[in-house]
Amino acid sequence: MKNTTSSFSGNYYDANGDVLAILTQARHYATVTVGDQAQALVAAVAGKKIRVLSMALTSSINGPQCYLRSGAGGTQISELILRNITGSTSAMNYQRSAYYPIHLYETNVGQALVLNCSAVGVASVQVVYVLV
């Protein structure tokens, strides 16, 4: 096993101590529908889990409540991100970040990262993730 305790280098390591590529994906949904969005936030990768390190979500005024799923119709893996402030004059901006080596969310092996919404609206999501 490689030494991963020396100093913070901005890298993320797998269980064997190998450096993993840190990836990012931003997706704007001009019109979210009720339920799972047809276009995955991050596409599935055969034999890999998507491990989310940080995320930011912005949704429309009085827009939908959202959460992340492991695969379409799959398990809810994030907390419910609420957007139910009636009469608000600004869009919701939600951000969350994990500290190394902790992660926020993780899909099952071979499943996409999917956004699920409770109502029609507009949403933009950005995630930083690694494939494990």
Side-chain angles (χ1 to χ4, degrees):
M1 182 165 174
K2 296 178 184 174
N3 180 4
T4 59
T5 60
S6 56
S7 65
F8 179 75
S9 63
N11 292 327
Y12 198 90
Y13 300 91
D14 68 10
N16 297 322
D18 297 319
V19 176
L20 295 172
I22 298 175
L23 307 166
T24 186
Q25 175 68 46
R27 177 110 34 231
H28 176 71
Y29 298 94
T31 304
V32 294
T33 57
V34 175
D36 291 345
Q37 302 312 296
Q39 185 176 30
L41 180 56
V42 178
V45 177
K48 298 287 185 179
K49 295 179 183 181
I50 301 165
R51 183 173 285 172
V52 178
L53 307 178
S54 69
M55 81 171 279
L57 180 138
T58 301
S59 71
S60 56
I61 296 169
N62 297 324
Q65 299 176 7
C66 302
Y67 61 86
L68 298 176
R69 280 191 193 234
S70 176
T75 306
Q76 179 177 338
I77 58 173
S78 77
E79 66 277 11
L80 182 62
I81 303 163
L82 300 175
R83 180 61 191 166
N84 56 3
I85 304 170
T86 304
S88 174
T89 58
S90 62
M92 186 221 25
N93 187 3
Y94 173 88
Q95 296 184 33
R96 191 149 180 239
S97 185
Y99 296 95
Y100 179 82
I102 301 168
H103 60 278
L104 296 175
Y105 322 113
E106 184 175 88
T107 66
N108 293 323
V109 173
Q111 291 190 334
L113 184 64
V114 176
L115 181 68
N116 180 286
C117 297
S118 66
V120 174
V122 176
S124 295
V125 186
Q126 181 171 2
V127 292
V128 175
Y129 66 98
V130 292
L131 299 173
V132 294

